[in-house]
Amino acid sequence: MLQTRPRDVQVAEIAQDTWILRSRTWDRLKFETEYARQKGTTANSYLIQAEKSALFDPPGGSFTDIFLKELHDHQYFQKLDYLILGHVNSNRIETIKRLLEIAPQITIVCSRPAANSLKAAFSNQPLNINPVRGEEVLDLGKGHELQFAFTPTPRWVDGLCTYDPATRILYTDKFFGAHVCDDAIFDENWKQLDDDRHYYFDCLHAAQSKQVEDAIDKMARFRPKWYAVGHGPIVRYSLSRLKLEYLEWCEQQENQELSVALLYTSAYGNTATVAHAIAKGLTDAEIKVELINCELVDPSEITAAIEQCDGFVIGSPTLGGHAPTQMQTALGLVLSTASKTKIAGVFGSYGWSGEAIDLLEGRLQDAGFAFGFDTIRVKFTPSEEVLQHCEAAGAEFAQALKKMKKIRAPRQGAVEAQTDRTEQAIGRVVGSLCVVTANQGETPFGILTSWVSQATFNPPGITVALPKDRAEGVLDHPEIPFVLNILKEGRNVRRTFLKATAPGENRFAELSTDHASNGCPILLDALAYLECKIENRMDCGDHWLLYATIENGKVLEPTGVTAVQHRKTASAY
């Protein structure tokens, strides 16, 4: 049960030149799903006071007055040089405005999308903004040379994490937190936080697990000993465990049998709030959700998501009587790509009219799509009751999806049932996730596979099975060299090789690579690699089976764990 205590700000020195300011409430604070456990919350801000000073992430409007009073009264907070923002939202703008009135000299450090949001919010006021991409270093003196990682997600498109090598603290903003409120600054009793942390992940991150994995991958270049989180206790005693749990929870989402692509844009945050509530209903029903903010992705990513999903939900605000351009583009891609067997859903928010919602609904109805829930229309800010309805709609969509799958499943006789059981059994054969790299003329070639096995001791050799349609013209005769890159668990190199690429696009452009002695690319983020040469190739139906001898090899990360591919059936990778 919640305590009846006034809101306050808890201040403590946590490391060299570093303080935490925990704005606390024992109330629920908001009606969004992530606060539903009703254990209160903390909005954590941090301050580094070295030769120059930097304040991280001031709280939202609920705490503005008490936070600024504490900041003004505290003897160490006489001058602020930098304001570092992990993300920007309308709630935080109020505190930023008041802070700039007190300290107009502040330079704001944030991501480029956050800088654009600030310029729009402060259109009549000049701001001193230093947008960062991730390669910059901000030197506060005394060893506090801050480094940055741009970590966007559909929910926080402007996400930025900051690392201080002097204290080895990684300021993670929305990652690794929990909505609880007590006096513990650190997570000494971390076992008691398990349920709250998992619930926080399910509410905020389950529907964007792909981007969460990408963010964790970007954070891997740092070596933190603490996570300075935006909510709840600082992660000090359970850092490795919590990081592993996040990766496991992401993997659980990705391994769900049925999937939904949830497409949206949001002008003022209301459409996004509705999208997240629908996503929560879907993930609670064990449906994988790919949350796609159409303002952030290329059309090719939308097309790929629609092709791969079992159903889709699309939502839009109405601006000037129209859907934003991004949503009109997304609708066109859906209509040209999606099979009519897929279940659809439509939602949106509006102020005075809802033409965009009518457009989405009408075009999908005319195209013959079945709907998984009644179209959701939200005027202005969604209430608690509306968000509960949206969650229920997500659960309703999930049931429709599962029912449709059963209806469309072919009735099988005894032989077919035996085939299914056989495929399931074969699917239990697991393999190491690897990327085969070679040269296709002057262009590097790479293909993801888990069908790899050691074949011989002397000479050392392996077998690799590759689909014919992917490997033809590259690895097609003896003596051809290639590199087998064995991937590391917890890194997202595999995503690069799962994405569709445009003709001529260099799949390796964003990867760290080197060249093996046989001239083929080495993925430096791999766990290990083997330099191989094809000795023989066998025609095996829809695959080529390559036997290759190993000429050289190296372990790149001795303490890493091999990434493994688990399958539920032998009928798919």
Side-chain angles (χ1 to χ4, degrees):
M1 182 177 294
L2 291 177
Q3 305 176 53
T4 55
R5 291 172 56 178
R7 296 177 184 181
D8 66 13
V9 180
Q10 181 186 20
V11 181
E13 186 173 4
I14 58 173
Q16 171 194 343
D17 311 317
T18 307
W19 287 261
I20 184 173
L21 296 86
R22 304 176 83 220
S23 299
R24 302 189 295 178
T25 179
W26 282 261
D27 299 324
R28 182 172 176 177
L29 189 64
K30 292 183 178 181
F31 53 73
E32 280 91 337
T33 304
E34 58 262 32
Y35 295 91
R37 291 176 72 86
Q38 301 191 33
K39 294 186 176 183
T41 193
T42 69
N44 299 335
S45 304
Y46 301 90
L47 181 111
I48 299 174
Q49 188 79 18
E51 294 172 9
K52 294 183 178 179
S53 59
L55 176 68
F56 292 78
D57 295 326
S62 302
F63 298 109
T64 299
D65 290 334
I66 60 173
F67 176 78
L68 293 180
K69 183 179 186 303
E70 190 69 40
L71 197 67
H72 182 269
D73 292 347
H74 200 286
Q75 60 178 331
Y76 294 109
F77 305 156
Q78 300 302 314
K79 182 178 180 296
L80 292 174
D81 296 290
Y82 297 101
L83 176 63
I84 299 176
L85 301 176
H87 75 283
V88 173
N89 57 28
S90 57
N91 191 35
R92 182 171 283 175
I93 290 292
E94 179 181 344
T95 307
I96 295 173
K97 286 182 177 179
R98 295 272 301 278
L99 183 61
L100 290 176
E101 291 173 1
I102 300 171
Q105 78 282 352
I106 289 178
T107 296
I108 299 175
V109 179
C110 59
S111 67
R112 290 191 178 277
N116 294 334
S117 298
L118 288 170
K119 290 174 183 177
F122 292 83
S123 57
N124 297 321
Q125 178 181 345
L127 296 176
N128 186 9
I129 303 178
N130 180 18
V132 296
R133 295 180 181 272
E135 302 86 5
E136 301 85 351
V137 173
L138 179 62
D139 189 357
L140 302 180
K142 300 174 68 173
H144 299 279
E145 298 178 348
L146 304 185
Q147 304 168 35
F148 305 96
F150 180 43
T151 54
T153 63
R155 189 159 188 156
W156 296 285
V157 301
D158 54 352
L160 186 73
C161 294
T162 305
Y163 178 66
D164 182 1
T167 56
R168 293 181 61 192
I169 294 176
L170 180 60
Y171 298 87
T172 60
D173 194 30
K174 290 296 185 180
F175 298 103
F176 307 117
H179 285 304
V180 296
C181 184
D182 55 23
D183 294 329
I185 293 175
F186 297 98
D187 61 335
E188 293 98 335
N189 300 316
W190 54 269
K191 290 184 179 180
Q192 299 176 15
L193 295 170
D194 282 351
D195 290 343
D196 295 300
R197 285 171 164 175
H198 200 165
Y199 186 80
Y200 180 92
F201 174 90
D202 285 344
C203 292
L204 299 185
H205 295 307
Q208 53 186 22
S209 58
K210 182 187 300 184
Q211 292 82 6
V212 171
E213 284 187 323
D214 290 342
I216 293 174
D217 201 23
K218 290 181 179 180
M219 297 179 205
R221 67 186 178 96
F222 306 126
R223 294 292 181 266
K225 65 177 183 180
W226 298 354
Y227 290 150
V229 297
H231 302 285
I234 295 172
V235 180
R236 178 179 179 181
Y237 299 97
S238 57
L239 186 145
S240 297
R241 174 190 170 95
L242 184 55
K243 178 182 175 181
L244 180 61
E245 286 178 335
Y246 258 59
L247 292 172
E248 289 176 347
W249 296 336
C250 288
E251 185 176 0
Q252 288 170 10
Q253 291 300 317
E254 294 171 14
N255 286 339
Q256 298 293 356
E257 186 176 2
L258 296 173
S259 66
V260 169
L262 203 163
L263 316 175
Y264 74 98
T265 61
S266 190
Y268 304 105
N270 296 331
T271 309
T273 300
V274 173
H276 300 145
I278 296 172
K280 181 62 167 56
L282 287 164
T283 55
D284 283 351
E286 298 184 338
I287 300 294
K288 174 187 174 182
V289 179
E290 185 169 1
L291 198 63
I292 300 175
N293 186 328
C294 295
E295 294 180 89
L296 303 179
V297 300
D298 293 328
S300 61
E301 294 183 53
I302 297 175
T303 300
I306 292 298
E307 288 176 342
Q308 296 166 11
C309 70
D310 298 290
F312 62 89
V313 180
I314 184 168
S316 174
T318 297
L319 301 176
H322 302 281
T325 302
Q326 297 92 338
M327 291 316 301
Q328 295 183 38
T329 300
L331 176 62
L333 293 171
V334 167
L335 292 171
S336 63
T337 303
S339 164
K340 300 304 184 293
T341 61
K342 296 182 189 290
I343 299 176
V346 172
F347 68 96
S349 65
Y350 62 96
W352 308 107
S353 59
E355 291 90 345
I357 309 170
D358 296 335
L359 169 69
L360 299 179
E361 181 184 49
R363 293 291 300 277
L364 292 175
Q365 284 179 337
D366 292 344
F369 287 99
F371 281 56
F373 56 72
D374 292 336
T375 297
I376 298 172
R377 293 175 169 83
V378 179
K379 189 171 184 179
F380 299 119
T381 304
S383 65
E384 180 173 10
E385 182 180 359
V386 167
L387 292 180
Q388 290 175 350
H389 171 71
C390 294
E391 279 192 63
E396 180 183 352
F397 193 97
Q399 292 305 313
L401 206 60
K402 294 175 181 178
K403 182 178 179 180
M404 187 62 70
K405 181 177 176 62
K406 289 181 181 179
I407 291 174
R408 290 181 179 148
R411 297 184 179 276
Q412 299 172 331
V415 174
E416 291 173 300
Q418 178 62 41
T419 300
D420 273 356
R421 290 194 293 269
T422 302
E423 287 187 350
Q424 292 172 9
I426 298 173
R428 296 307 186 267
V429 177
V430 299
S432 304
L433 269 175
C434 303
V435 173
V436 173
T437 55
N439 292 313
Q440 189 173 18
E442 296 182 358
T443 304
F445 166 88
I447 182 172
L448 184 70
T449 182
S450 60
W451 294 9
V452 180
S453 178
Q454 183 173 351
T456 53
F457 285 125
N458 188 18
I462 58 170
T463 57
V464 183
L466 298 176
K468 287 183 176 179
D469 59 346
R470 297 286 304 279
E472 194 60 42
V474 185
L475 302 169
D476 54 4
H477 60 79
E479 303 297 322
I480 289 182
F482 68 89
V483 167
L484 184 74
N485 300 271
I486 300 108
L487 300 188
K488 178 184 176 183
E489 185 64 45
R491 288 191 175 162
N492 289 321
V493 175
R494 66 182 183 274
R495 292 205 176 281
T496 301
F497 295 90
L498 288 172
K499 292 190 300 185
T501 56
E505 182 179 351
N506 183 1
R507 194 186 290 272
F508 294 77
E510 297 181 2
L511 297 174
S512 298
T513 61
D514 200 353
H515 286 90
S517 58
N518 64 10
C520 300
I522 297 170
L523 304 181
L524 297 179
D525 286 329
L527 180 68
Y529 70 89
L530 302 173
E531 298 181 23
C532 308
K533 181 179 69 175
I534 296 176
E535 299 291 341
N536 199 358
R537 187 177 77 158
M538 181 186 299
D539 188 342
C540 298
D542 53 4
H543 281 67
W544 293 114
L545 181 64
L546 309 180
Y547 169 66
T549 53
I550 300 167
E551 299 180 325
N552 193 15
K554 184 178 180 181
V555 175
L556 299 175
E557 292 205 23
T559 60
V561 176
T562 303
V564 177
Q565 173 76 342
H566 295 275
R567 299 183 298 157
K568 293 183 178 180
T569 176
S571 62
Y573 288 111

